Amino acid sequence: DIQMTQSPSSLSASVGDRVTITCRASQSISSNLNWYHQKPGKAPKLLIYTAFSLQSGVPSRFSGSGSGTDFTLTISSLQPEDFATYYCQQTYSVPSTFGQGTKLEIK
Amino acid sequence: EVQLVESGGGLVQPGGSLRLSCEASGFTFNTYEMNWVRQAPGKGLEWVSYIGGSGITLYADSVQGRFTISRDNGKNSLYLQMNSLRVEDTAVYYCARGLTGDGDTCDYWGQGTLVTVSS
């Protein structure tokens, strides 16, 4: 199975900050990488698919980049509603696997 | 509006069985691939199973041979039959729609149903 490793595991930031979360795959996954966020007690929400495509309805402050094994999610200016746990997911091979999550907290 | 509503979760003893259901609305169900994804308490996300529109199925190794995914397109419903349940199967189970063109990518999720396996 392909292992997905996110860093950092947790992050404290302030409203308005620019934040970057990284995700590394244990082998090349081309651009088959998605990003989700999840708020406590809620279902995950798709933000970015195929590494850089913004899901419909997601604010443009979210962006994704990368290919192969290294990927990043950037939030250009944090808003209060962005504090959540973020997960990457590879869909290059079965089984699809998720990163362990990055908890983004208010500083 | 796309809606996915899971049901069927609950408390079951180790070795027992449970059948989860997911009722879909707001889209043409039979044209979409569907997934089950679970999340153990306080843990991350784990993909469990996938079913294509034509009925092809895939499973995580951890549930292979114990869980069966199925769908009834006439009822706009997705199911997960879970047998030989283990304590480690305790989790919130989410039904999720596959993104067109990449069915493992989950673009809409239900609210989840909690399965607790305990004696």
Side-chain angles (χ1 to χ4, degrees), chain B residues 20-37:
Chain B
L20 305 184
S21 299
C22 171
E23 186 171 343
S25 61
F27 63 101
T28 306
F29 181 72
N30 64 2
T31 65
Y32 282 85
E33 299 153 287
M34 298 295 296
N35 297 273
W36 288 99
V37 177

mmCIF file of all heavy atoms in Angstrom, chain B residues 20-37:
data_model
loop_
_atom_site.group_PDB
_atom_site.id
_atom_site.type_symbol
_atom_site.label_atom_id
_atom_site.label_comp_id
_atom_site.label_asym_id
_atom_site.label_seq_id
_atom_site.Cartn_x
_atom_site.Cartn_y
_atom_site.Cartn_z
ATOM 1 N N LEU B 20 -25.246 -1.646 7.021
ATOM 2 C CA LEU B 20 -25.393 -0.209 6.887
ATOM 3 C C LEU B 20 -26.095 0.117 5.564
ATOM 4 O O LEU B 20 -25.888 -0.568 4.564
ATOM 5 C CB LEU B 20 -24.030 0.483 6.916
ATOM 6 C CG LEU B 20 -23.137 0.195 8.118
ATOM 7 C CD1 LEU B 20 -21.872 1.033 8.030
ATOM 8 C CD2 LEU B 20 -23.864 0.423 9.420
ATOM 9 N N SER B 21 -26.881 1.176 5.594
ATOM 10 C CA SER B 21 -27.552 1.651 4.383
ATOM 11 C C SER B 21 -27.217 3.115 4.161
ATOM 12 O O SER B 21 -26.910 3.847 5.112
ATOM 13 C CB SER B 21 -29.073 1.503 4.515
ATOM 14 O OG SER B 21 -29.450 0.157 4.696
ATOM 15 N N CYS B 22 -27.274 3.527 2.915
ATOM 16 C CA CYS B 22 -27.048 4.929 2.556
ATOM 17 C C CYS B 22 -28.049 5.279 1.472
ATOM 18 O O CYS B 22 -28.013 4.701 0.382
ATOM 19 C CB CYS B 22 -25.624 5.127 2.065
ATOM 20 S SG CYS B 22 -25.288 6.758 1.340
ATOM 21 N N GLU B 23 -28.939 6.188 1.786
ATOM 22 C CA GLU B 23 -29.950 6.612 0.821
ATOM 23 C C GLU B 23 -29.480 7.893 0.142
ATOM 24 O O GLU B 23 -29.155 8.878 0.813
ATOM 25 C CB GLU B 23 -31.295 6.824 1.504
ATOM 26 C CG GLU B 23 -32.426 7.131 0.543
ATOM 27 C CD GLU B 23 -33.795 7.132 1.208
ATOM 28 O OE1 GLU B 23 -33.916 6.596 2.324
ATOM 29 O OE2 GLU B 23 -34.734 7.684 0.609
ATOM 30 N N ALA B 24 -29.452 7.869 -1.175
ATOM 31 C CA ALA B 24 -28.957 8.990 -1.956
ATOM 32 C C ALA B 24 -30.094 9.755 -2.617
ATOM 33 O O ALA B 24 -31.104 9.164 -3.014
ATOM 34 C CB ALA B 24 -27.987 8.492 -3.024
ATOM 35 N N SER B 25 -29.910 11.045 -2.750
ATOM 36 C CA SER B 25 -30.882 11.878 -3.462
ATOM 37 C C SER B 25 -30.182 13.092 -4.038
ATOM 38 O O SER B 25 -29.066 13.439 -3.635
ATOM 39 C CB SER B 25 -32.015 12.304 -2.521
ATOM 40 O OG SER B 25 -31.513 13.064 -1.444
ATOM 41 N N GLY B 26 -30.832 13.719 -5.013
ATOM 42 C CA GLY B 26 -30.290 14.941 -5.597
ATOM 43 C C GLY B 26 -29.351 14.725 -6.757
ATOM 44 O O GLY B 26 -28.778 15.691 -7.268
ATOM 45 N N PHE B 27 -29.151 13.461 -7.173
ATOM 46 C CA PHE B 27 -28.311 13.178 -8.329
ATOM 47 C C PHE B 27 -28.737 11.828 -8.924
ATOM 48 O O PHE B 27 -29.478 11.060 -8.290
ATOM 49 C CB PHE B 27 -26.833 13.185 -7.968
ATOM 50 C CG PHE B 27 -26.396 12.123 -6.982
ATOM 51 C CD1 PHE B 27 -25.758 10.968 -7.414
ATOM 52 C CD2 PHE B 27 -26.608 12.287 -5.615
ATOM 53 C CE1 PHE B 27 -25.338 10.000 -6.510
ATOM 54 C CE2 PHE B 27 -26.210 11.327 -4.702
ATOM 55 C CZ PHE B 27 -25.568 10.182 -5.146
ATOM 56 N N THR B 28 -28.245 11.553 -10.121
ATOM 57 C CA THR B 28 -28.594 10.301 -10.802
ATOM 58 C C THR B 28 -27.698 9.193 -10.265
ATOM 59 O O THR B 28 -26.591 8.961 -10.749
ATOM 60 C CB THR B 28 -28.424 10.464 -12.324
ATOM 61 O OG1 THR B 28 -29.169 11.591 -12.767
ATOM 62 C CG2 THR B 28 -28.931 9.207 -13.039
ATOM 63 N N PHE B 29 -28.201 8.509 -9.252
ATOM 64 C CA PHE B 29 -27.401 7.563 -8.454
ATOM 65 C C PHE B 29 -26.716 6.512 -9.319
ATOM 66 O O PHE B 29 -25.543 6.197 -9.099
ATOM 67 C CB PHE B 29 -28.312 6.902 -7.423
ATOM 68 C CG PHE B 29 -27.625 5.912 -6.520
ATOM 69 C CD1 PHE B 29 -26.753 6.335 -5.535
ATOM 70 C CD2 PHE B 29 -27.858 4.545 -6.662
ATOM 71 C CE1 PHE B 29 -26.119 5.431 -4.695
ATOM 72 C CE2 PHE B 29 -27.231 3.632 -5.831
ATOM 73 C CZ PHE B 29 -26.363 4.069 -4.841
ATOM 74 N N ASN B 30 -27.414 5.967 -10.303
ATOM 75 C CA ASN B 30 -26.860 4.822 -11.017
ATOM 76 C C ASN B 30 -25.689 5.180 -11.924
ATOM 77 O O ASN B 30 -25.056 4.287 -12.498
ATOM 78 C CB ASN B 30 -27.953 4.085 -11.808
ATOM 79 C CG ASN B 30 -28.577 4.935 -12.907
ATOM 80 O OD1 ASN B 30 -28.187 6.086 -13.130
ATOM 81 N ND2 ASN B 30 -29.551 4.378 -13.601
ATOM 82 N N THR B 31 -25.396 6.466 -12.067
ATOM 83 C CA THR B 31 -24.269 6.870 -12.909
ATOM 84 C C THR B 31 -23.014 7.191 -12.099
ATOM 85 O O THR B 31 -21.996 7.590 -12.662
ATOM 86 C CB THR B 31 -24.634 8.089 -13.769
ATOM 87 O OG1 THR B 31 -24.866 9.216 -12.919
ATOM 88 C CG2 THR B 31 -25.859 7.818 -14.625
ATOM 89 N N TYR B 32 -23.083 7.014 -10.794
ATOM 90 C CA TYR B 32 -21.950 7.375 -9.933
ATOM 91 C C TYR B 32 -21.365 6.159 -9.224
ATOM 92 O O TYR B 32 -22.087 5.259 -8.789
ATOM 93 C CB TYR B 32 -22.370 8.408 -8.887
ATOM 94 C CG TYR B 32 -22.467 9.802 -9.442
ATOM 95 C CD1 TYR B 32 -23.642 10.235 -10.067
ATOM 96 C CD2 TYR B 32 -21.388 10.682 -9.370
ATOM 97 C CE1 TYR B 32 -23.734 11.512 -10.595
ATOM 98 C CE2 TYR B 32 -21.477 11.962 -9.893
ATOM 99 C CZ TYR B 32 -22.648 12.365 -10.501
ATOM 100 O OH TYR B 32 -22.736 13.621 -11.023
ATOM 101 N N GLU B 33 -20.031 6.189 -9.092
ATOM 102 C CA GLU B 33 -19.342 5.249 -8.241
ATOM 103 C C GLU B 33 -19.521 5.689 -6.791
ATOM 104 O O GLU B 33 -19.661 6.893 -6.518
ATOM 105 C CB GLU B 33 -17.861 5.218 -8.617
ATOM 106 C CG GLU B 33 -17.623 4.769 -10.057
ATOM 107 C CD GLU B 33 -16.336 5.330 -10.639
ATOM 108 O OE1 GLU B 33 -16.282 6.545 -10.944
ATOM 109 O OE2 GLU B 33 -15.379 4.555 -10.789
ATOM 110 N N MET B 34 -19.488 4.738 -5.867
ATOM 111 C CA MET B 34 -19.739 5.042 -4.467
ATOM 112 C C MET B 34 -18.703 4.363 -3.576
ATOM 113 O O MET B 34 -18.130 3.331 -3.949
ATOM 114 C CB MET B 34 -21.135 4.577 -4.065
ATOM 115 C CG MET B 34 -22.280 5.246 -4.815
ATOM 116 S SD MET B 34 -22.439 7.016 -4.487
ATOM 117 C CE MET B 34 -22.837 7.048 -2.740
ATOM 118 N N ASN B 35 -18.502 4.958 -2.405
ATOM 119 C CA ASN B 35 -17.499 4.463 -1.463
ATOM 120 C C ASN B 35 -18.038 4.428 -0.041
ATOM 121 O O ASN B 35 -18.958 5.176 0.298
ATOM 122 C CB ASN B 35 -16.278 5.395 -1.456
ATOM 123 C CG ASN B 35 -15.565 5.451 -2.783
ATOM 124 O OD1 ASN B 35 -14.689 4.649 -3.076
ATOM 125 N ND2 ASN B 35 -15.923 6.425 -3.616
ATOM 126 N N TRP B 36 -17.412 3.588 0.759
ATOM 127 C CA TRP B 36 -17.539 3.657 2.215
ATOM 128 C C TRP B 36 -16.153 4.002 2.770
ATOM 129 O O TRP B 36 -15.150 3.392 2.383
ATOM 130 C CB TRP B 36 -18.012 2.340 2.810
ATOM 131 C CG TRP B 36 -19.458 2.020 2.548
ATOM 132 C CD1 TRP B 36 -19.964 1.186 1.590
ATOM 133 C CD2 TRP B 36 -20.593 2.526 3.278
ATOM 134 N NE1 TRP B 36 -21.347 1.148 1.674
ATOM 135 C CE2 TRP B 36 -21.753 1.955 2.691
ATOM 136 C CE3 TRP B 36 -20.756 3.402 4.356
ATOM 137 C CZ2 TRP B 36 -23.041 2.226 3.158
ATOM 138 C CZ3 TRP B 36 -22.034 3.667 4.809
ATOM 139 C CH2 TRP B 36 -23.163 3.092 4.218
ATOM 140 N N VAL B 37 -16.138 4.973 3.671
ATOM 141 C CA VAL B 37 -14.911 5.399 4.347
ATOM 142 C C VAL B 37 -15.223 5.424 5.840
ATOM 143 O O VAL B 37 -16.314 5.842 6.235
ATOM 144 C CB VAL B 37 -14.461 6.797 3.874
ATOM 145 C CG1 VAL B 37 -13.221 7.259 4.631
ATOM 146 C CG2 VAL B 37 -14.205 6.795 2.364
#
